[in-house]
Amino acid sequence: MNRRTSPKEPASPAERAPGGHAHPPAHKHPGGHTHDAEHGHGAGHAHSHEPDTYELIVRAARQVRRRWMETLEPHGPSPHEFRALKAAISADGGARLADVAARLRIAPRSATEVVDSLEDKGLVRRTPSPTDRRAILVVPTDAGLSLADEVAAARATHGAELLAPLDEAESAQLHALLAKVVDAAGA
């Protein structure tokens, strides 16, 4: 095999990066955008340090998650526990353990452990269902309701800080676009 047809070397100068370094050619994805296989950049970004849209979403999600953890930390519950608390709050009169498990997308046994932890922290209590004697409901305590209000206020403040660079129209557009992505993903 000669140098021009070697699988390790690009055949054309267009496939060489400045400085003579070989890069695999970009390939097209459905929808027409290209992707540099080695560096994960979209078209126009093969040699820049500007992140593509997906990377920006990942970075924003990391920032949001970090702030979310900072918001919860002084209050005690983990994100999973807080979601379980919210499930109990949003269910009128309390949530069944199976409903908590479904909302958290976990096994019922794991939901029991999460609710046990919340109960130990005084944020929920278990009570018999008034309509089904076999069912036990998870009901928020006054402390659980108060905590949820405090965390919601802190989360709203953090959200406003994160979106401060956007004007009202941009914020609405971002909301619509993210909702479209989330709906399409079924999340």
Side-chain angles (χ1 to χ4, degrees), residues 9-83:
E9 290 291 325
S12 73
E15 293 175 358
R16 287 189 179 278
H21 300 292
H23 291 287
H27 63 275
K28 277 212 181 272
H29 288 277
H33 66 282
T34 58
H35 180 79
D36 176 332
E38 183 174 328
H39 296 94
H41 301 291
H45 300 290
H47 303 290
S48 74
H49 295 339
E50 190 172 324
D52 63 11
T53 303
Y54 182 81
E55 178 62 23
L56 289 172
I57 292 170
V58 169
R59 287 180 186 182
R62 283 184 191 135
Q63 288 178 3
V64 168
R65 174 108 173 130
R66 186 180 70 247
R67 293 300 297 267
W68 176 228
M69 296 298 289
E70 290 169 1
T71 299
L72 282 179
E73 188 175 11
H75 301 286
S78 70
H80 230 46
E81 291 170 344
F82 189 76
R83 287 177 50 218

Side-chain angles (χ1 to χ4, degrees), residues 79-147:
H80 230 46
E81 291 170 344
F82 189 76
R83 287 177 50 218
L85 175 61
K86 293 294 285 182
I89 291 170
S90 66
D92 188 28
R96 292 174 171 229
L97 276 173
D99 297 332
V100 172
R103 177 119 177 224
L104 299 180
R105 297 180 183 160
I106 59 176
R109 178 180 302 169
S110 298
T112 298
E113 293 170 6
V114 171
V115 171
D116 285 347
S117 179
L118 287 171
E119 196 169 31
D120 289 346
K121 293 174 182 173
L123 301 174
V124 299
R125 61 184 169 81
R126 288 179 168 95
T127 186
S129 169
T131 59
D132 182 353
R133 293 184 346 180
R134 297 169 296 162
I136 299 294
L137 299 178
V138 179
V139 179
T141 63
D142 288 343
L145 292 169
S146 177
L147 173 94

